[in-house]
Amino acid sequence: MAKKRRPQTKATGPQVANGEIPVVGAREPCPCGSGRRYKACHGREAAHAVTELVQRPFEGLPGECDWVALRELVPAATVELTLAEGLPEGVPSVTLATVLPMAWPALRRDNGAVLLGLQNDMPSGDISRDLADTLRRALTAEPGSPVSAERAPGDGPRLQDLLDPKGTFSPTLHEGFEFWLEDAANATGEVAASLERANAAAIPTVRLTGVEAAYWCETPEKNHLRWVMSHPEEKLLDALARLHAAGASSLGENTRLVGSFRAHGLTVPVWDLPRGMSAEDTEKPAVDLAERLAEALASDAPLTPEQRRARGGLTNRQVTLS
């Protein structure tokens, strides 16, 4: 038996010849007049615009490298944020936190202060827009309540629109997550147990003071330095290859450059350190390496065969996180 042909649906909604296509329900006829449902026509383009990955979501913000580090590397840290239009009435402060209890996107404390979580899963491909939407909703949330996750509108503001471009970005690293609570010392019951579990899982991490966005961390077998750099990736890999081929890419005895990873459009070289090498011990070697790296970055000479082999090794050990 031959299948019945489905009758063609005629457009019944408003037709738009030029200009923006209005947003309508997913199952409604598309206002463009195509006769298709919105979700199969211009709604598909709108969804794609929302989910398309923004490669460098923190570009243009003060401290872009540290934003990336707090998103991907640091267990427990906070940063006071400065809003472009100042703090609204009833909001004494806005603080970025690596993570919040129960993985809440944001929290408004009883006193009106806002905490914004950075390490949550984001519903779209633009972390900056998602965080800005959460922040806006947190500023008007009832004191003493968390803020739920929601999909941000595709044309909504980004962090670059809400934060003061001249503001500072100075992370404070914490040994644990006591910053979750206004009175952590007197926490009891499940709250205290949850805090204890979170603290036990946190890897000790220290931000170096002599160079930008370099983070020392301690693991059971060895220590590491993970250094977020804003140099163009190809230029940076060339420079690291020059140093590596010359035996100048380490941070001292028993240390070695083991590779790098990409995170939010930036490159993060990683060094293995001996178990006994502390963050303080790493400070001067990191400053010295930064000077050697600056010289290597300034070179435009073609890579030698040995340098190309070193670069290939670095590239082969590169991982993309975002």
Side-chain angles (χ1 to χ4, degrees):
M1 181 182 295
K3 282 187 176 180
K4 290 185 178 179
R5 293 189 63 185
R6 196 171 168 185
Q8 295 294 316
T9 304
K10 294 184 178 179
T12 56
Q15 298 188 26
V16 180
N18 296 298
E20 280 192 26
I21 306 298
V23 176
V24 297
R27 294 179 176 275
E28 293 181 37
C30 186
C32 75
S34 67
R36 291 180 291 173
R37 289 178 177 177
Y38 179 69
K39 69 176 183 179
C41 192
H42 281 84
R44 180 182 298 168
E45 296 176 13
H48 177 71
V50 172
T51 59
E52 187 175 4
L53 180 65
V54 175
Q55 297 292 337
R56 286 182 64 177
F58 307 117
E59 185 175 16
L61 290 173
E64 179 189 7
C65 293
D66 286 304
W67 276 92
V68 172
L70 266 58
R71 168 75 181 179
E72 300 295 341
L73 308 178
V74 181
T78 54
V79 184
E80 294 298 311
L81 299 179
T82 304
L83 303 186
E85 298 184 359
L87 293 169
E89 185 177 354
V91 179
S93 63
V94 174
T95 303
L96 181 75
T98 47
V99 67
L100 296 176
M102 307 298 291
W104 286 327
L107 170 68
R108 189 164 186 205
R109 293 194 187 281
D110 291 334
N111 67 356
V114 167
L115 289 177
L116 177 66
L118 180 58
Q119 293 182 6
N120 301 78
D121 291 334
M122 300 297 171
S124 83
D126 187 352
I127 295 173
S128 178
R129 197 179 307 280
D130 290 332
L131 286 169
D133 181 69
T134 300
L135 174 56
R136 291 179 75 192
R137 291 186 289 114
L139 292 172
T140 57
E142 286 294 321
S145 63
V147 176
S148 62
E150 292 183 11
R151 182 179 289 278
D155 58 351
R158 307 176 75 238
L159 287 174
Q160 288 82 346
D161 303 314
L162 300 185
L163 301 183
D164 185 351
K166 297 180 181 178
T168 59
F169 192 84
S170 303
T172 299
L173 273 63
H174 306 275
E175 294 183 2
F177 296 90
E178 282 75 15
F179 65 84
W180 283 352
L181 307 172
E182 294 180 83
D183 188 14
N186 294 320
T188 59
E190 179 55 33
V191 173
S194 176
L195 186 60
E196 184 177 353
R197 288 193 298 270
N199 287 347
I203 296 174
T205 303
V206 177
R207 185 182 188 273
L208 300 191
T209 59
V211 293
E212 180 189 5
Y215 289 79
W216 171 96
C217 69
E218 179 183 25
T219 62
E221 295 184 358
K222 62 184 67 175
N223 299 340
H224 303 281
L225 183 70
R226 300 178 290 189
W227 194 339
V228 186
M229 298 184 175
S230 59
H231 310 292
E233 181 181 8
E234 297 301 315
K235 188 76 173 174
L236 176 59
L237 291 175
D238 281 354
L240 290 172
R242 296 180 198 278
L243 295 181
H244 200 64
S249 65
S250 76
L251 293 164
E253 188 177 358
N254 297 323
T255 73
R256 68 188 186 104
L257 174 64
V258 293
S260 64
F261 56 85
R262 297 187 191 94
H264 308 293
L266 301 185
T267 304
V268 187
V270 179
W271 285 262
D272 278 353
L273 311 175
R275 186 69 176 82
M277 189 171 180
S278 67
E280 185 177 358
D281 296 333
T282 311
E283 288 281 3
K284 186 177 186 309
V287 171
D288 292 342
L289 178 64
E291 294 177 358
R292 298 195 299 273
L293 181 61
E295 293 179 7
L297 285 165
S299 175
D300 290 324
L303 296 183
T304 66
E306 186 180 5
Q307 290 168 347
R308 287 199 298 271
R309 285 193 295 272
R311 193 186 193 285
L314 291 172
T315 304
N316 290 338
R317 297 193 297 274
Q318 191 173 55
V319 176
T320 300
L321 297 185
S322 58

